Every structure is written in structure tokens, then in C-alpha cells.
Amino acid sequence: MLKRLLGAVLLLLALASGSHAETLPLPPNLIGAASPAGEGYFFEAEARAAYFPLADNFVTQKNQAFCGVASSVMVLNALQLPAPAVPEYDPYRTFTQDNVFSAATEAVIPADTIREMGMTLDQLGAFIATQPVAVEVHHAADTSLEAFRAAARDYLSKPGHFVVVNYLRKAIGQEKGGHISPLAAYDGKSDRFLILDVARYKYPPVWVTAADLFAAMNTTDSDNQNRTRGYVLIAAKP
């Protein structure tokens, strides 16, 4: 177990390293995953089953509108679902930010629309649901901090279960609009969640308090009929 935890810290350091000159500074309320405090949260985390599969399949969004696409790709690969062929990797298969699109996803939201403006919480849930997985979409206004914390903690503690959050960056002190990324762990002592930020060129993975994250999700999205942002629960179908 200790060896695996040390390996996890090395992965955290790897994810949080690189192009520091291009990474924006973190506000005081956010704790970088690779900081001493961030490493401590990880060692103490009571729910981190999602971390290893997500970290093994981490991708940086390929453009500034693809946060939902990158998050979806990470989760689908972490679930080890049958993936499309990738010519350059033949005969190996994996989901990428190019081949994850299909006729089914185009019916949800066209790829060209995502490239221009990203996707909303509901579109994210429907996009992932085109795959053989169980999906639950929760708008922050329809739930509560306590309910979110309990559901996310439960999912993060079980293999084959994942949580993707849609939140307003400026509400947690970042720059600046709506964003989507997966959660990887929860530390009950500090009441913080670990966000594996897919905009790796912009921010490293961070620990954020449950209250701050929920408040950032409980913001309206003008692209989604002014409904609030929120979170998506994804699990492998039995």
C-alpha cells in the first residue's frame, strides 16, 4: 500500500509539473496537489479509488473549448470501455479527443459547436451517456452541499465510479469562465476534493473545499437556459 501511495505522489508531481511559466498562480483557497499540504491530503484521503485510473489516462484538453471532451475521454478510458481504433496506434484502441465523436454524440451536440463554445452540464451528461455507462446529471440548485459531498465521496471510494464537475472558475478565484474536469479524491479531514484539471496548460490539479466547489457549481450558465452548473456521476453498468 505504501509503495502504491508513493507511486501516486509521483504521479501527482508529474501531473503538476511542466510549463510552470505558463501556469497561472493559485489563489490562497486552493492547494496545489504537488505541494506539501496537497500531498498530505492525498495520503489522508478517505476516497481515492478514482485517482489511479484517471491519472493513468490523464489528458490535457486539446483546445480551450474541449474541457468536457477531455474529461469524457479520461473517464471512458478509465472505465476500460471498448474503444474506437486509432490508426497511428494500430492494433491498439483507445478513446481520444478526435475519435470520441460519433453519430450519437453529434445528435447531442455537434463537434463543431463544441469547438466553438464547449458544452453545458446537460450536454456533457448526454454526451457520456452515448456510451454503455450509467449517468446521473445533478444541477447544484436541485441538490445541496451535503448531498453533493455524500454522493461524490461515495463514488470516489468505489472502483468503476467517477465524478465530473462543471463549475465557474472565478467563483473559486481562478480565471475565469465555466469549466469541466473530473474529481479524483476526497479528504474528509480537510473537507477537500481533488480536481484533476484538464486545462493543464493553465492550472495544476488542486484541492478545493467542498463548500467552495459547490458554490462554484451553484452558478447559472447562460448557455444552458440559466440553469445552474453541477456534477455528473458516471458508473460502469453491471
Side-chain angles (χ1 to χ4, degrees):
M1 176 60 72
L2 179 59
K3 183 181 291 187
R4 196 176 193 207
L5 287 175
L6 289 173
V9 170
L10 290 175
L11 274 173
L12 282 171
L13 290 170
L15 290 177
S17 65
S19 62
H20 284 290
E22 298 298 326
T23 302
L24 297 175
L26 293 177
N29 59 304
L30 300 180
I31 306 300
S35 69
E39 292 175 20
Y41 294 151
F42 186 83
F43 275 105
E44 295 177 353
E46 63 188 66
R48 55 174 178 240
Y51 172 77
F52 291 97
L54 288 174
D56 283 348
N57 292 285
F58 184 85
V59 295
T60 298
Q61 62 187 85
K62 66 182 297 183
N63 61 52
Q64 295 192 56
F66 263 34
C67 53
V69 174
S71 297
S72 299
V73 165
M74 285 175 61
V75 169
L76 296 176
N77 282 327
L79 285 167
Q80 298 183 324
L81 297 178
V86 184
E88 58 266 38
Y89 299 154
D90 185 67
Y92 306 103
R93 292 171 175 262
T94 187
F95 287 98
T96 71
Q97 294 176 70
D98 296 312
N99 71 13
V100 71
F101 300 104
S102 65
T105 65
E106 287 291 306
V108 172
I109 177 173
D112 286 343
T113 301
I114 300 176
R115 291 186 184 96
E116 181 180 346
M117 56 188 300
M119 63 174 76
T120 67
L121 176 69
D122 291 292
Q123 290 165 342
L124 171 68
F127 187 94
I128 296 173
T130 60
Q131 296 293 330
V133 295
V135 174
E136 294 181 19
V137 175
H138 295 269
H139 290 268
D142 299 332
T143 182
S144 66
L145 168 60
E146 293 72 22
F148 160 66
R149 181 193 291 112
R153 178 179 57 207
D154 178 59
Y155 263 60
L156 294 172
S157 67
K158 297 188 295 190
H161 290 69
F162 299 92
V163 184
V164 178
V165 290
N166 174 210
Y167 59 100
L168 186 64
R169 278 197 185 276
K170 67 179 181 181
I172 58 172
Q174 293 183 328
E175 297 289 339
K176 59 183 173 177
H179 189 53
I180 294 169
S181 280
L183 298 181
Y186 172 75
D187 172 46
K189 185 176 179 180
S190 65
D191 194 25
R192 287 179 181 266
F193 286 98
L194 175 61
I195 301 176
L196 285 188
D197 197 327
V198 296
R200 186 57 201 86
Y201 53 85
K202 191 172 183 180
Y203 287 110
V206 296
W207 289 94
V208 58
T209 66
D212 283 352
L213 178 56
F214 185 79
M217 292 189 295
N218 198 20
T219 54
T220 57
D221 183 355
S222 60
D223 292 325
N224 196 19
Q225 301 179 335
N226 285 321
R227 300 195 71 188
T228 56
R229 298 174 173 87
Y231 57 99
V232 181
L233 303 176
I234 306 115
K237 284 186 176 178

